[in-house]
Structures are given as structure tokens and as C-alpha cells.
Amino acid sequence: MMPTPDPKAVFVNVPFDATYEPLFVTLVGTLVFLGQKPRCVLEVREKGDGRLIRILDLMRTCRMSVHDLSRTGTPVRFNMPFELGLASALKLQHPTTTK
């Protein structure tokens, strides 16, 4: 059974590097200003029990998501389009609970 998403939680799928950091801080600040709760994979630490399951569980707690795929080129960032695909699959699986 899918948990009820937090109506204010927003999954953030963006690059996490020094060059993108000012945009990441701006995005997080804007979401907080708008009364939202930004969530991202930086919260998910590897413990040997499957990071993918924990990312999916985190996505399930979010009502919506933001995906910036503008920098998926070099270096190749396969995880970012993959996470967009996961979010899209969750939306198709539960269209009334995820947006």
C-alpha cells in the first residue's frame, strides 16, 4: 500500500555539485518560502540495504517533484533521468496521490 504523500513535500532531482550549488540553494529557498518541504537524495545514505528502495520510498512521500535535466551531458548523469522515470512511473501507478 502506498503511503499518503505529504501535501507539502517536493522531491528535488538536480545536480549536486559546486557549480550548481547557487541554483540548488535558490530552488530550496524558494520552495521553503512557498511553504513547501524540499526533499532530495542527499537525505538517503547507503546502509547496504538498497539505496534505490530508499529513494523510491522518499519519492512516495512527496506529492510533487522538480527535475532539472539541463546538465545530464558531461559528465554523464544517468541517475537524474532515471529518477525522473521513477517519479513518472509513480504518477502513472497512483495518479490521484502523486503529482
Side-chain angles (χ1 to χ4, degrees):
M1 182 170 154
M2 176 135 167
T4 302
D6 180 338
K8 294 186 178 253
V10 178
F11 183 78
V12 176
N13 176 20
V14 298
F16 299 111
D17 57 41
T19 304
Y20 196 86
E21 186 176 359
L23 292 172
F24 177 68
V25 170
T26 301
L27 174 60
V28 168
T30 301
L31 288 169
V32 170
F33 176 78
L34 294 171
Q36 303 302 300
K37 297 178 192 172
R39 308 290 306 272
C40 70
V41 296
L42 295 177
E43 301 174 38
V44 180
R45 299 291 177 222
E46 181 55 60
K47 299 178 193 170
D49 60 350
R51 181 179 170 104
L52 178 59
I53 296 300
R54 290 194 317 280
I55 291 171
L56 241 150
D57 288 344
L58 177 61
M59 286 181 167
R60 285 182 180 123
T61 68
C62 299
R63 188 178 69 83
M64 65 181 101
S65 58
V66 174
H67 304 267
D68 183 348
L69 302 182
S70 63
R71 293 195 23 227
T72 57
T74 307
V76 177
R77 298 174 185 265
F78 291 117
N79 62 306
M80 294 174 62
F82 181 72
E83 289 172 16
L84 172 58
L86 290 174
S88 297
L90 285 172
K91 171 66 175 165
L92 290 172
Q93 191 176 33
H94 302 281
T96 59
T97 58
T98 56
K99 293 184 181 181

